[in-house]
Amino acid sequence: DAGVTQSPTHLIKTRGQQVTLRCSPKSGHDTVSWYQQALGQGPQFIFQYYEEEERQRGNFPDRFSGHQFPNYSSELNVNALLLGDSALYLCASSLGGTGISTDTQYFGPGTRLTVL
Amino acid sequence: DQQVKQNSPSLSVQEGRISILNCDYTNSMFDYFLWYKKYPAEGPTFLISISSIKDKNEDGRFTVFLNKSAKHLSLHIVPSQPGDSAVYFCAASVNNNDMRFGAGTRLTVKP
């Protein structure tokens, strides 16, 4: 049973560039949430996708956008990268479009983004 | 605004003893609380949760206590095992929305 997978594992970009991160949910899951975890901090909720639509959003600027595909996989796009966007980006999947604070949310290993 | 705080960045205990991880929150509207465990190079994994209508939830060696008047949450691990060594995050939400995480506590269990 494949768990949540994310790609790439690591990424280095320069300020002003754009980046796309990818996530495949756990088999059978249809909901994907994205989190940003800065060094020494806990994960911060970015947004959640269900039925190919953004259903919930945290306190992140419009530079952060996403997409969900018919196969439930998802992308996180960040435009005009800032140094402060350097973080571990975590994807979590769940079932049924339920709220994000559910114990049935499974996290991937994350993508480490470094902005120089 | 850091609504969920874990004031101890690290904790070290001896194998077989009790580990107590603490978490404080400021938003009295939080109605659901969770603990996650994170190993290096892995995503957080769900450990245990508690609803605001309860003050205790137990699952094997793990017990979560909720003190709403003090806005305080704690996780007890008894007995602690070396495999419990990880970073522990507490998290909280209101009506299942916008889950807030603490900064984490690194637990080291020494053999």
Side-chain angles (χ1 to χ4, degrees):
Chain A
D1 180 18
V4 180
T5 59
Q6 293 186 242
S7 63
T9 306
H10 296 88
L11 202 52
I12 299 175
K13 292 284 188 179
T14 56
R15 279 179 298 174
Q17 284 189 312
Q18 179 264 345
V19 69
T20 298
L21 310 181
R22 295 175 177 81
C23 171
S24 291
K26 178 179 168 64
S27 178
H29 283 183
D30 58 8
T31 304
V32 173
S33 302
W34 286 92
Y35 294 81
Q36 180 195 66
Q37 185 179 5
L39 197 61
Q41 297 183 23
Q44 279 194 284
F45 174 68
I46 303 175
F47 42 53
Q48 181 188 69
Y49 276 83
Y50 173 66
E51 293 186 336
E52 302 180 48
E53 289 187 1
E54 183 183 296
R55 289 301 179 97
Q56 296 185 41
R57 190 178 183 93
N59 189 25
F60 278 80
D62 292 344
R63 297 188 296 111
F64 290 78
S65 64
H67 188 77
Q68 186 178 35
F69 299 93
N71 67 353
Y72 309 122
S73 66
S74 177
E75 288 182 349
L76 164 66
N77 301 294
V78 187
N79 293 323
L81 284 167
L82 304 174
L83 296 179
D85 294 332
S86 295
L88 179 70
Y89 287 85
L90 294 163
C91 166
S93 74
S94 55
L95 182 63
T98 54
I100 60 171
S101 60
T102 167
D103 55 11
T104 55
Q105 195 169 204
Y106 291 79
F107 282 84
T111 293
R112 173 74 59 188
L113 172 65
T114 301
V115 182
L116 301 176
Chain B
D1 62 344
Q2 197 172 358
Q3 298 187 25
V4 178
K5 295 182 181 179
Q6 293 177 257
N7 292 318
S8 298
S10 63
L11 174 68
S12 182
V13 299
Q14 207 67 34
E15 181 179 5
R17 306 294 289 268
I18 184 172
S19 294
I20 300 176
L21 297 107
N22 294 303
C23 179
D24 296 295
Y25 60 94
T26 57
N27 188 346
S28 58
M29 299 299 291
F30 284 143
D31 57 6
Y32 196 64
F33 305 87
L34 306 92
W35 284 95
Y36 282 86
K37 179 169 69 173
K38 187 180 186 299
Y39 293 117
E42 295 182 13
T45 55
F46 168 75
L47 193 57
I48 193 169
S49 63
I50 188 167
S51 163
S52 61
I53 63 173
K54 295 185 175 181
D55 55 16
K56 176 182 175 181
N57 188 25
E58 194 171 352
D59 183 3
R61 297 186 297 113
F62 302 92
T63 303
V64 56
F65 294 92
L66 176 62
N67 183 334
K68 289 191 292 293
S69 61
K71 295 190 182 69
H72 180 80
L73 187 69
S74 64
L75 174 67
H76 293 210
I77 306 173
V78 182
S80 301
Q81 298 173 355
D84 296 329
S85 297
V87 177
Y88 289 78
F89 293 99
C90 70
S93 74
V94 179
N95 288 335
N96 224 15
N97 289 310
D98 194 12
M99 183 161 57
R100 302 294 180 106
F101 282 82
T105 296
R106 181 176 301 279
L107 173 66
T108 302
V109 180
K110 298 179 179 178

Short mmCIF file of all heavy atoms in Angstrom, two decimals, chain A residues 25-72:
data_model
loop_
_atom_site.label_atom_id
_atom_site.label_comp_id
_atom_site.label_asym_id
_atom_site.label_seq_id
_atom_site.Cartn_x
_atom_site.Cartn_y
_atom_site.Cartn_z
N PRO A 25 -1.25 11.27 -3.30
CA PRO A 25 -1.84 10.88 -2.02
C PRO A 25 -1.75 9.37 -1.80
O PRO A 25 -1.48 8.59 -2.71
CB PRO A 25 -3.30 11.32 -2.17
CG PRO A 25 -3.56 11.28 -3.64
CD PRO A 25 -2.27 11.66 -4.29
N LYS A 26 -2.00 9.00 -0.58
CA LYS A 26 -2.09 7.59 -0.22
C LYS A 26 -3.22 6.95 -1.04
O LYS A 26 -4.24 7.59 -1.30
CB LYS A 26 -2.39 7.48 1.28
CG LYS A 26 -2.56 6.09 1.83
CD LYS A 26 -2.83 6.15 3.32
CE LYS A 26 -3.31 4.81 3.86
NZ LYS A 26 -2.27 3.76 3.74
N SER A 27 -3.01 5.70 -1.41
CA SER A 27 -4.01 4.99 -2.18
C SER A 27 -5.37 5.03 -1.50
O SER A 27 -5.49 4.73 -0.31
CB SER A 27 -3.54 3.53 -2.34
OG SER A 27 -4.51 2.78 -3.06
N GLY A 28 -6.40 5.43 -2.26
CA GLY A 28 -7.75 5.50 -1.72
C GLY A 28 -8.12 6.86 -1.17
O GLY A 28 -9.30 7.10 -0.87
N HIS A 29 -7.14 7.76 -1.02
CA HIS A 29 -7.42 9.10 -0.51
C HIS A 29 -7.74 10.06 -1.64
O HIS A 29 -7.21 9.95 -2.74
CB HIS A 29 -6.23 9.63 0.29
CG HIS A 29 -6.13 9.03 1.65
ND1 HIS A 29 -5.16 9.42 2.56
CD2 HIS A 29 -6.87 8.08 2.27
CE1 HIS A 29 -5.32 8.71 3.67
NE2 HIS A 29 -6.35 7.90 3.52
N ASP A 30 -8.62 11.04 -1.36
CA ASP A 30 -9.03 11.98 -2.39
C ASP A 30 -8.80 13.44 -2.01
O ASP A 30 -9.16 14.34 -2.77
CB ASP A 30 -10.51 11.77 -2.73
CG ASP A 30 -11.41 11.92 -1.50
OD1 ASP A 30 -10.93 12.34 -0.43
OD2 ASP A 30 -12.62 11.61 -1.63
N THR A 31 -8.23 13.67 -0.85
CA THR A 31 -8.05 15.03 -0.34
C THR A 31 -6.58 15.27 -0.03
O THR A 31 -5.93 14.41 0.57
CB THR A 31 -8.88 15.23 0.94
OG1 THR A 31 -10.25 14.93 0.65
CG2 THR A 31 -8.77 16.65 1.46
N VAL A 32 -6.08 16.42 -0.47
CA VAL A 32 -4.67 16.74 -0.26
C VAL A 32 -4.55 18.09 0.42
O VAL A 32 -5.19 19.07 0.01
CB VAL A 32 -3.90 16.76 -1.59
CG1 VAL A 32 -2.47 17.27 -1.37
CG2 VAL A 32 -3.86 15.37 -2.22
N SER A 33 -3.74 18.14 1.46
CA SER A 33 -3.44 19.40 2.16
C SER A 33 -1.95 19.66 2.07
O SER A 33 -1.15 18.73 2.10
CB SER A 33 -3.87 19.31 3.63
OG SER A 33 -5.24 19.03 3.74
N TRP A 34 -1.59 20.93 2.02
CA TRP A 34 -0.17 21.32 1.94
C TRP A 34 0.19 22.15 3.18
O TRP A 34 -0.61 22.97 3.65
CB TRP A 34 0.09 22.15 0.70
CG TRP A 34 0.11 21.37 -0.58
CD1 TRP A 34 -0.94 21.13 -1.42
CD2 TRP A 34 1.24 20.72 -1.17
NE1 TRP A 34 -0.53 20.37 -2.50
CE2 TRP A 34 0.81 20.11 -2.36
CE3 TRP A 34 2.60 20.59 -0.80
CZ2 TRP A 34 1.67 19.39 -3.21
CZ3 TRP A 34 3.44 19.88 -1.63
CH2 TRP A 34 2.98 19.29 -2.81
N TYR A 35 1.40 21.92 3.68
CA TYR A 35 1.90 22.63 4.85
C TYR A 35 3.32 23.13 4.56
O TYR A 35 4.08 22.50 3.82
CB TYR A 35 1.97 21.71 6.07
CG TYR A 35 0.64 21.23 6.57
CD1 TYR A 35 -0.02 20.16 5.98
CD2 TYR A 35 0.04 21.84 7.68
CE1 TYR A 35 -1.25 19.72 6.44
CE2 TYR A 35 -1.19 21.40 8.15
CZ TYR A 35 -1.82 20.34 7.53
OH TYR A 35 -3.03 19.90 7.99
N GLN A 36 3.67 24.24 5.20
CA GLN A 36 5.04 24.75 5.17
C GLN A 36 5.63 24.63 6.56
O GLN A 36 5.01 25.07 7.54
CB GLN A 36 5.04 26.23 4.76
CG GLN A 36 6.43 26.86 4.70
CD GLN A 36 6.36 28.37 4.64
OE1 GLN A 36 5.93 29.03 5.59
NE2 GLN A 36 6.80 28.93 3.52
N GLN A 37 6.80 24.02 6.67
CA GLN A 37 7.46 23.91 7.96
C GLN A 37 8.82 24.59 7.88
O GLN A 37 9.77 24.06 7.30
CB GLN A 37 7.63 22.45 8.39
CG GLN A 37 8.21 22.32 9.78
CD GLN A 37 8.39 20.89 10.23
OE1 GLN A 37 8.16 19.95 9.49
NE2 GLN A 37 8.79 20.73 11.48
N ALA A 38 8.90 25.76 8.47
CA ALA A 38 10.17 26.48 8.54
C ALA A 38 11.05 25.84 9.61
O ALA A 38 10.56 25.15 10.51
CB ALA A 38 9.94 27.95 8.85
N LEU A 39 12.34 26.09 9.52
CA LEU A 39 13.29 25.47 10.45
C LEU A 39 12.96 25.85 11.89
O LEU A 39 12.76 27.03 12.20
CB LEU A 39 14.70 25.94 10.10
CG LEU A 39 15.85 25.11 10.68
CD1 LEU A 39 15.79 23.68 10.19
CD2 LEU A 39 17.19 25.74 10.33
N GLY A 40 12.86 24.85 12.74
CA GLY A 40 12.60 25.09 14.16
C GLY A 40 11.15 25.41 14.49
O GLY A 40 10.85 25.78 15.63
N GLN A 41 10.28 25.28 13.52
CA GLN A 41 8.86 25.57 13.76
C GLN A 41 8.00 24.37 13.39
O GLN A 41 8.45 23.44 12.74
CB GLN A 41 8.44 26.79 12.93
CG GLN A 41 9.16 28.08 13.30
CD GLN A 41 8.65 29.25 12.50
OE1 GLN A 41 7.54 29.24 11.99
NE2 GLN A 41 9.47 30.29 12.41
N GLY A 42 6.75 24.44 13.78
CA GLY A 42 5.81 23.41 13.39
C GLY A 42 5.24 23.68 12.01
O GLY A 42 5.37 24.79 11.48
N PRO A 43 4.60 22.69 11.41
CA PRO A 43 3.98 22.90 10.10
C PRO A 43 2.89 23.97 10.14
O PRO A 43 2.16 24.08 11.12
CB PRO A 43 3.37 21.52 9.78
CG PRO A 43 4.13 20.55 10.64
CD PRO A 43 4.46 21.31 11.88
N GLN A 44 2.81 24.75 9.08
CA GLN A 44 1.75 25.75 8.93
C GLN A 44 0.90 25.39 7.73
O GLN A 44 1.42 25.17 6.64
CB GLN A 44 2.36 27.14 8.72
CG GLN A 44 2.82 27.83 9.98
CD GLN A 44 3.10 29.30 9.71
OE1 GLN A 44 4.11 29.65 9.12
NE2 GLN A 44 2.18 30.15 10.11
N PHE A 45 -0.41 25.38 7.93
CA PHE A 45 -1.35 24.99 6.88
C PHE A 45 -1.37 26.03 5.77
O PHE A 45 -1.56 27.22 6.02
CB PHE A 45 -2.74 24.84 7.51
CG PHE A 45 -3.84 24.56 6.53
CD1 PHE A 45 -3.89 23.36 5.83
CD2 PHE A 45 -4.83 25.50 6.30
CE1 PHE A 45 -4.92 23.11 4.94
CE2 PHE A 45 -5.86 25.25 5.41
CZ PHE A 45 -5.91 24.05 4.73
N ILE A 46 -1.22 25.54 4.53
CA ILE A 46 -1.27 26.44 3.36
C ILE A 46 -2.65 26.39 2.74
O ILE A 46 -3.35 27.41 2.66
CB ILE A 46 -0.20 26.07 2.32
CG1 ILE A 46 1.19 26.09 2.94
CG2 ILE A 46 -0.26 27.03 1.13
CD1 ILE A 46 2.29 25.61 2.00
N PHE A 47 -3.04 25.21 2.26
CA PHE A 47 -4.39 25.03 1.71
C PHE A 47 -4.69 23.54 1.54
O PHE A 47 -3.82 22.69 1.70
CB PHE A 47 -4.61 25.75 0.38
CG PHE A 47 -3.49 25.66 -0.63
CD1 PHE A 47 -2.96 24.45 -1.03
CD2 PHE A 47 -3.00 26.83 -1.20
CE1 PHE A 47 -1.94 24.39 -1.96
CE2 PHE A 47 -1.98 26.78 -2.13
CZ PHE A 47 -1.45 25.56 -2.51
N GLN A 48 -5.97 23.29 1.24
CA GLN A 48 -6.45 21.92 1.05
C GLN A 48 -7.22 21.83 -0.27
O GLN A 48 -8.00 22.74 -0.59
CB GLN A 48 -7.37 21.50 2.20
CG GLN A 48 -7.88 20.07 2.06
CD GLN A 48 -8.94 19.74 3.10
OE1 GLN A 48 -10.05 20.26 3.07
NE2 GLN A 48 -8.60 18.87 4.03
N TYR A 49 -7.02 20.73 -0.98
CA TYR A 49 -7.73 20.48 -2.22
C TYR A 49 -8.60 19.24 -2.12
O TYR A 49 -8.16 18.19 -1.62
CB TYR A 49 -6.76 20.34 -3.40
CG TYR A 49 -6.36 21.66 -3.97
CD1 TYR A 49 -5.33 22.40 -3.38
CD2 TYR A 49 -7.03 22.22 -5.04
CE1 TYR A 49 -4.98 23.64 -3.86
CE2 TYR A 49 -6.69 23.45 -5.55
CZ TYR A 49 -5.66 24.17 -4.94
OH TYR A 49 -5.33 25.40 -5.43
N TYR A 50 -9.82 19.37 -2.60
CA TYR A 50 -10.77 18.26 -2.64
C TYR A 50 -11.62 18.45 -3.88
O TYR A 50 -12.07 19.56 -4.16
CB TYR A 50 -11.62 18.25 -1.37
CG TYR A 50 -12.76 17.25 -1.38
CD1 TYR A 50 -12.51 15.89 -1.39
CD2 TYR A 50 -14.08 17.69 -1.37
CE1 TYR A 50 -13.55 14.97 -1.40
CE2 TYR A 50 -15.12 16.78 -1.37
CZ TYR A 50 -14.85 15.42 -1.38
OH TYR A 50 -15.88 14.51 -1.39
N GLU A 51 -11.84 17.39 -4.61
CA GLU A 51 -12.62 17.45 -5.85
C GLU A 51 -12.09 18.54 -6.79
O GLU A 51 -12.85 19.30 -7.39
CB GLU A 51 -14.11 17.66 -5.55
CG GLU A 51 -14.74 16.47 -4.86
CD GLU A 51 -16.25 16.60 -4.70
OE1 GLU A 51 -16.75 17.74 -4.69
OE2 GLU A 51 -16.91 15.54 -4.57
N GLU A 52 -10.77 18.60 -6.84
CA GLU A 52 -10.05 19.50 -7.76
C GLU A 52 -10.27 20.98 -7.44
O GLU A 52 -9.98 21.85 -8.29
CB GLU A 52 -10.40 19.19 -9.22
CG GLU A 52 -10.08 17.76 -9.62
CD GLU A 52 -10.43 17.44 -11.07
OE1 GLU A 52 -10.06 18.24 -11.95
OE2 GLU A 52 -11.06 16.40 -11.31
N GLU A 53 -10.77 21.27 -6.25
CA GLU A 53 -10.98 22.67 -5.87
C GLU A 53 -10.29 22.97 -4.54
O GLU A 53 -10.19 22.09 -3.67
CB GLU A 53 -12.48 22.96 -5.74
CG GLU A 53 -13.22 22.98 -7.05
CD GLU A 53 -14.66 23.43 -6.87
OE1 GLU A 53 -15.04 23.73 -5.73
OE2 GLU A 53 -15.39 23.47 -7.86
N GLU A 54 -9.86 24.21 -4.39
CA GLU A 54 -9.31 24.63 -3.10
C GLU A 54 -10.47 24.82 -2.13
O GLU A 54 -11.36 25.64 -2.35
CB GLU A 54 -8.54 25.94 -3.27
CG GLU A 54 -7.88 26.43 -1.99
CD GLU A 54 -7.18 27.77 -2.17
OE1 GLU A 54 -6.21 27.83 -2.96
OE2 GLU A 54 -7.61 28.76 -1.54
N ARG A 55 -10.44 24.06 -1.02
CA ARG A 55 -11.56 24.07 -0.09
C ARG A 55 -11.29 24.93 1.16
O ARG A 55 -12.19 25.49 1.74
CB ARG A 55 -11.91 22.65 0.33
CG ARG A 55 -12.55 21.84 -0.77
CD ARG A 55 -13.84 22.49 -1.28
NE ARG A 55 -14.49 21.77 -2.33
CZ ARG A 55 -15.50 20.93 -2.15
NH1 ARG A 55 -15.93 20.70 -0.93
NH2 ARG A 55 -16.05 20.32 -3.16
N GLN A 56 -10.05 24.92 1.59
CA GLN A 56 -9.66 25.72 2.76
C GLN A 56 -8.30 26.34 2.47
O GLN A 56 -7.51 25.78 1.72
CB GLN A 56 -9.55 24.86 4.02
CG GLN A 56 -10.84 24.23 4.49
CD GLN A 56 -10.65 23.49 5.81
OE1 GLN A 56 -9.95 23.96 6.71
NE2 GLN A 56 -11.27 22.33 5.93
N ARG A 57 -8.05 27.48 3.09
CA ARG A 57 -6.78 28.15 2.89
C ARG A 57 -6.30 28.77 4.19
O ARG A 57 -7.10 29.35 4.93
CB ARG A 57 -6.89 29.23 1.81
CG ARG A 57 -5.55 29.81 1.38
CD ARG A 57 -5.69 30.85 0.29
NE ARG A 57 -4.39 31.33 -0.14
CZ ARG A 57 -3.70 30.83 -1.15
NH1 ARG A 57 -4.21 29.84 -1.87
NH2 ARG A 57 -2.51 31.31 -1.48
N GLY A 58 -5.03 28.64 4.45
CA GLY A 58 -4.42 29.29 5.60
C GLY A 58 -3.98 30.70 5.24
O GLY A 58 -4.33 31.24 4.19
N ASN A 59 -3.17 31.28 6.11
CA ASN A 59 -2.76 32.67 5.94
C ASN A 59 -1.51 32.76 5.08
O ASN A 59 -0.43 33.11 5.57
CB ASN A 59 -2.53 33.30 7.32
CG ASN A 59 -2.31 34.78 7.23
OD1 ASN A 59 -2.75 35.43 6.29
ND2 ASN A 59 -1.60 35.33 8.20
N PHE A 60 -1.64 32.46 3.80
CA PHE A 60 -0.52 32.53 2.86
C PHE A 60 -0.91 33.42 1.69
O PHE A 60 -2.06 33.44 1.27
CB PHE A 60 -0.15 31.13 2.37
CG PHE A 60 0.74 30.38 3.32
CD1 PHE A 60 0.22 29.75 4.43
CD2 PHE A 60 2.11 30.34 3.12
CE1 PHE A 60 1.03 29.09 5.32
CE2 PHE A 60 2.94 29.67 3.99
CZ PHE A 60 2.40 29.05 5.10
N PRO A 61 0.07 34.16 1.14
CA PRO A 61 -0.25 35.08 0.03
C PRO A 61 -0.60 34.32 -1.25
O PRO A 61 -0.39 33.12 -1.37
CB PRO A 61 1.06 35.87 -0.14
CG PRO A 61 2.13 34.98 0.40
CD PRO A 61 1.50 34.22 1.52
N ASP A 62 -1.12 35.09 -2.21
CA ASP A 62 -1.55 34.51 -3.48
C ASP A 62 -0.40 33.94 -4.30
O ASP A 62 -0.64 33.24 -5.29
CB ASP A 62 -2.27 35.58 -4.31
CG ASP A 62 -3.59 35.96 -3.69
OD1 ASP A 62 -4.07 35.21 -2.83
OD2 ASP A 62 -4.14 37.02 -4.07
N ARG A 63 0.84 34.25 -3.88
CA ARG A 63 1.99 33.65 -4.58
C ARG A 63 1.97 32.12 -4.46
O ARG A 63 2.58 31.42 -5.25
CB ARG A 63 3.31 34.14 -3.99
CG ARG A 63 3.57 35.62 -4.10
CD ARG A 63 4.98 35.96 -3.64
NE ARG A 63 5.22 35.67 -2.24
CZ ARG A 63 6.02 34.70 -1.80
NH1 ARG A 63 6.64 33.90 -2.67
NH2 ARG A 63 6.19 34.51 -0.50
N PHE A 64 1.26 31.66 -3.45
CA PHE A 64 1.12 30.22 -3.23
C PHE A 64 -0.19 29.77 -3.88
O PHE A 64 -1.27 30.26 -3.51
CB PHE A 64 1.10 29.90 -1.74
CG PHE A 64 2.42 30.09 -1.06
CD1 PHE A 64 2.87 31.36 -0.72
CD2 PHE A 64 3.22 28.99 -0.75
CE1 PHE A 64 4.10 31.54 -0.09
CE2 PHE A 64 4.44 29.16 -0.12
CZ PHE A 64 4.88 30.44 0.20
N SER A 65 -0.09 28.88 -4.82
CA SER A 65 -1.28 28.37 -5.49
C SER A 65 -1.13 26.87 -5.67
O SER A 65 -0.04 26.32 -5.51
CB SER A 65 -1.49 29.06 -6.84
OG SER A 65 -0.41 28.75 -7.71
N GLY A 66 -2.23 26.24 -6.00
CA GLY A 66 -2.17 24.79 -6.14
C GLY A 66 -3.11 24.28 -7.20
O GLY A 66 -3.84 25.03 -7.85
N HIS A 67 -3.05 22.99 -7.33
CA HIS A 67 -3.91 22.32 -8.30
C HIS A 67 -4.08 20.88 -7.86
O HIS A 67 -3.16 20.29 -7.29
CB HIS A 67 -3.26 22.38 -9.69
CG HIS A 67 -4.15 21.89 -10.78
ND1 HIS A 67 -5.18 22.62 -11.29
CD2 HIS A 67 -4.17 20.70 -11.44
CE1 HIS A 67 -5.79 21.92 -12.23
NE2 HIS A 67 -5.20 20.75 -12.34
N GLN A 68 -5.26 20.34 -8.13
CA GLN A 68 -5.47 18.91 -7.92
C GLN A 68 -5.96 18.30 -9.22
O GLN A 68 -6.82 18.87 -9.90
CB GLN A 68 -6.48 18.63 -6.81
CG GLN A 68 -6.60 17.14 -6.48
CD GLN A 68 -7.56 16.85 -5.35
OE1 GLN A 68 -8.57 17.52 -5.20
NE2 GLN A 68 -7.24 15.83 -4.56
N PHE A 69 -5.42 17.17 -9.55
CA PHE A 69 -5.73 16.49 -10.81
C PHE A 69 -6.81 15.43 -10.59
O PHE A 69 -7.09 15.04 -9.46
CB PHE A 69 -4.45 15.88 -11.38
CG PHE A 69 -3.40 16.88 -11.69
CD1 PHE A 69 -2.41 17.19 -10.76
CD2 PHE A 69 -3.39 17.57 -12.90
CE1 PHE A 69 -1.44 18.14 -11.02
CE2 PHE A 69 -2.42 18.52 -13.17
CZ PHE A 69 -1.45 18.80 -12.24
N PRO A 70 -7.42 14.97 -11.69
CA PRO A 70 -8.48 13.95 -11.55
C PRO A 70 -8.03 12.69 -10.82
O PRO A 70 -8.87 11.99 -10.25
CB PRO A 70 -8.88 13.66 -13.00
CG PRO A 70 -8.56 14.91 -13.74
CD PRO A 70 -7.31 15.46 -13.08
N ASN A 71 -6.74 12.39 -10.85
CA ASN A 71 -6.26 11.19 -10.14
C ASN A 71 -5.94 11.51 -8.67
O ASN A 71 -5.35 10.69 -7.98
CB ASN A 71 -5.03 10.59 -10.83
CG ASN A 71 -3.82 11.50 -10.76
OD1 ASN A 71 -3.91 12.65 -10.32
ND2 ASN A 71 -2.68 11.00 -11.21
N TYR A 72 -6.32 12.70 -8.21
CA TYR A 72 -6.18 13.17 -6.83
C TYR A 72 -4.79 13.68 -6.48
O TYR A 72 -4.61 14.24 -5.40
CB TYR A 72 -6.62 12.13 -5.79
CG TYR A 72 -7.98 11.55 -6.05
CD1 TYR A 72 -8.16 10.18 -6.23
CD2 TYR A 72 -9.09 12.38 -6.16
CE1 TYR A 72 -9.42 9.66 -6.49
CE2 TYR A 72 -10.35 11.87 -6.42
CZ TYR A 72 -10.51 10.50 -6.59
OH TYR A 72 -11.75 9.98 -6.85
#
